[in-house]
Amino acid sequence: MVHTDQYQGKLVLVVGLAKSGYAAARLLHKLGATVIVNDGKSIDDNPQAQELMEQGVEVICGSHPLSLLDRPLDFIIKNPGIPYSNELLVEAEKKNIPILTEIELAYQISEADIIAITGSNGKTTTTTLITEMLKNSGRTPQIAGNIGVVACEVAEQATMDDIIVMELSSFQLMGTDEFRPTISVLLNLFDAHLDYHGSKQNYVAAKARIQAKQEESDYLVYNASDELVKDIAEKSHATKIGFSTTEVLPDGLDVVDGFVRYRSKPIIATSDIMLPGSHNIENILGAIGASILAGATLTQIQFVLKTFGGVEHRLQFVKELNGRLIYNDSKATNILATSKALEAFDKPVILLAGGLDRGNSFDSLIPSLQDVKAVITYGETKDRIAETVRKTDIPTLELVNTLTEAVKVAYRESTEGDVLLLSPACASWDQYKTFEERGHAFIQAINELPK
């Protein structure tokens, strides 16, 4: 849908810059809107705000004054990371000022169709798989969204010959209104981000927005084995394509007799799939469904599944070192993601885990620790994780302060044939700005081990 003229003369407040806020402000200014930018950082430490000022955009930095709402705002574009509990947004809601994210803006200006992917886990892997599967098809895939590429920047450049493959978080989806992807993929729903959304019900409602405006001519590819996802699908107006690793779905995607199938037609033997982990079969099914609907060739789909070894920081194979297999799963920022990672291996595992302490117990990790021979825990959560490990039969537990120390101890405790797995089960923010930075630090520490 292309509505570039609807912003002409509108008064828009952009709250929070970073990549998405900056891109939205720049684009809205270009489309003829009167833009006010408000960011918590001071102007002196804010090169993006300074650049927007030079372009003629009004910028207010250092705080979020409620007086901004005295102006006749048409809507607010907010950075997804800013919670709705922010006082400025609370007051804006009372005044019935629409609060959107730049995903809505991307949809409004896009000439290209959109494939949108969400779920509690597996979004990045599925988004990357779909993008790779659509290469060499009729349209050029353009990756965007929560994967690190600002959606409205991609949409601004995309043409009808492209197709945008968009990873979406609950934070981004909560700020949509008319957003209507041609194909949506809903992978799974677990407890996540409840500190942001306030309740599981609110979190699920945010995720459900991915298909809220879809119609019968659109498609919803969904996990038919996830009860919460099924509930959303049953109410959807889109044409539905289910997938399951445990049920036979003649009109959907399933796994039967060792083969991944689409509408009962074998696509590939599971033994030919390179990506490790049984949980990734669900991501693969979702990716195949969306890719076929978007015009991917069977040859390209099979090629990707035989060669794709995982995205960076998500069960990423780093190297083999003296008979040890090293994996970087820094993107596992919650217990469920670490459980899935552990279930991917049938070899002895040395687990490195730890990070930001949010006060939760790690006991729900216990069922996944059966093949773990040692846990090296570090950072703020080391004592909480150790408390859980002591309830198991794991023979080796070491507590250290930093990830670099953990790598050295993990290698010392390992033997040939073991898997060394960084899968923190925690956010990185106690010691690193991002999970990417943490993953790179892990790889660097591995590379500095004795050869």
Side-chain angles (χ1 to χ4, degrees):
M1 177 175 287
V2 182
H3 284 166
T4 56
D5 57 347
Q6 73 179 56
Y7 300 108
Q8 185 74 37
K10 297 292 186 182
L11 181 59
V12 184
L13 173 64
V14 176
V15 180
L17 281 176
K19 288 194 293 186
S20 65
Y22 169 78
R26 184 196 59 77
L27 179 58
L28 286 164
H29 179 65
K30 179 180 175 181
L31 294 177
T34 300
V35 181
I36 308 163
V37 165
N38 176 226
D39 193 70
K41 286 198 297 186
S42 71
I43 190 71
D44 294 335
D45 301 322
N46 207 327
Q48 291 175 316
Q50 293 172 25
E51 187 176 330
L52 289 168
M53 280 182 70
E54 291 171 5
Q55 295 175 25
V57 174
E58 181 181 354
V59 174
I60 298 167
C61 285
S63 66
H64 301 294
L66 296 181
S67 58
L68 288 169
L69 303 179
D70 294 337
R71 309 193 197 187
L73 298 173
D74 289 291
F75 60 92
I76 292 172
I77 296 277
K78 83 170 192 71
N79 184 287
I82 298 176
Y84 285 83
S85 57
N86 178 285
E87 188 179 7
L88 180 68
L89 300 180
V90 170
E91 291 303 313
E93 285 188 315
K94 290 179 183 176
K95 292 175 177 284
N96 294 316
I97 300 171
I99 302 171
L100 307 171
T101 53
E102 56 87 25
I103 298 301
E104 181 75 11
L105 176 60
Y107 167 72
Q108 294 286 358
I109 67 167
S110 178
E111 290 183 13
D113 286 341
I114 294 171
I115 301 175
I117 302 98
T118 200
S120 299
N121 280 307
K123 297 185 293 295
T124 299
T125 297
T126 306
T127 301
T128 307
L129 280 168
I130 292 170
T131 303
E132 293 299 314
M133 289 174 178
L134 284 172
K135 290 179 178 177
N136 303 316
S137 67
R139 288 187 291 181
T140 305
Q142 304 286 350
I143 202 164
N146 193 53
I147 203 163
V149 185
V150 179
C152 68
E153 286 185 347
V154 175
E156 185 182 5
Q157 303 298 324
T159 70
M160 294 178 69
D161 294 327
D162 299 320
I163 187 163
I164 299 175
V165 187
M166 192 181 291
E167 177 187 326
L168 296 176
S169 69
S170 57
F171 301 172
Q172 291 168 313
L173 284 165
M174 198 169 171
T176 58
D177 183 19
E178 296 182 14
F179 180 71
R180 179 186 165 191
T182 305
I183 302 168
S184 62
V185 182
L186 187 49
L187 295 167
N188 46 55
L189 289 170
F190 306 107
D191 288 350
H193 305 301
L194 302 189
D195 52 343
Y196 182 97
H197 291 287
S199 70
K200 186 171 183 176
Q201 183 179 7
N202 290 342
Y203 170 67
V204 171
K207 290 289 194 184
R209 296 203 61 77
I210 197 169
Q211 55 73 54
K213 297 294 183 177
Q214 284 190 296
E215 298 178 7
E216 192 175 352
S217 58
D218 306 312
Y219 291 94
L220 169 61
V221 181
Y222 73 99
N223 188 343
S225 297
D226 185 304
E227 291 302 321
L228 288 171
V229 170
K230 275 177 65 177
D231 287 345
I232 292 169
E234 286 171 3
K235 300 176 183 123
S236 178
H237 296 296
T239 297
K240 294 175 269 293
I241 306 288
F243 64 84
S244 174
T245 59
T246 57
E247 302 171 42
V248 176
L249 300 177
D251 294 321
L253 297 112
D254 55 20
V255 182
V256 176
D257 296 331
F259 279 86
V260 169
R261 308 190 313 167
Y262 175 73
R263 289 182 167 164
S264 302
K265 178 183 177 182
I267 300 294
I268 191 170
T270 55
S271 58
D272 289 337
I273 295 172
M274 183 179 180
L275 191 63
S278 57
H279 66 290
N280 272 320
I281 299 297
E282 288 189 346
N283 300 331
I284 286 165
L285 292 174
I288 291 172
S291 299
I292 288 175
L293 292 170
T297 66
L298 180 59
T299 301
Q300 181 67 13
I301 289 171
Q302 291 169 334
F303 170 76
V304 170
L305 294 176
K306 289 177 181 179
T307 58
F308 181 80
V311 298
E312 193 177 20
H313 309 297
R314 171 60 85 197
L315 266 187
Q316 172 196 3
F317 177 64
V318 177
K319 64 175 6 177
E320 181 176 346
L321 180 63
N322 300 327
R324 288 85 165 158
L325 300 175
I326 317 293
Y327 285 86
N328 165 29
D329 194 39
S330 182
K331 201 172 190 292
T333 57
N334 58 54
I335 293 169
L336 179 66
T338 295
S339 296
K340 295 289 186 182
L342 290 168
E343 291 163 8
F345 299 103
D346 56 8
K347 298 175 181 288
V349 174
I350 312 290
L351 174 65
L352 295 83
L356 182 74
D357 190 353
R358 283 181 162 143
N360 56 287
S361 165
F362 290 85
D363 286 0
S364 58
L365 198 58
I366 291 175
S368 304
L369 295 173
Q370 55 190 8
D371 291 324
V372 175
K373 62 181 279 188
V375 174
I376 319 301
T377 182
Y378 67 93
E380 285 185 3
T381 52
K382 62 180 184 291
D383 292 320
R384 289 185 186 275
I385 293 174
E387 188 178 323
T388 292
V389 174
R390 292 187 184 106
K391 298 175 184 177
T392 72
D393 296 327
I394 294 172
T396 302
L397 168 65
E398 296 277 354
L399 285 73
V400 297
N401 291 321
T402 68
L403 177 55
T404 302
E405 292 175 80
V407 167
K408 294 175 182 176
V409 174
Y411 182 78
R412 186 190 72 208
E413 296 296 332
S414 67
T415 55
E416 191 172 333
D418 288 348
V419 170
L420 265 67
L421 171 66
L422 170 67
S423 191
C426 304
S428 62
W429 304 322
D430 63 332
Q431 297 181 0
Y432 301 98
K433 292 179 181 177
T434 64
F435 69 80
E436 294 96 338
E437 183 181 307
R438 175 171 63 187
H440 291 311
F442 171 70
I443 293 171
Q444 181 180 343
I446 290 293
N447 289 334
E448 290 173 354
L449 288 170
K451 297 294 183 287

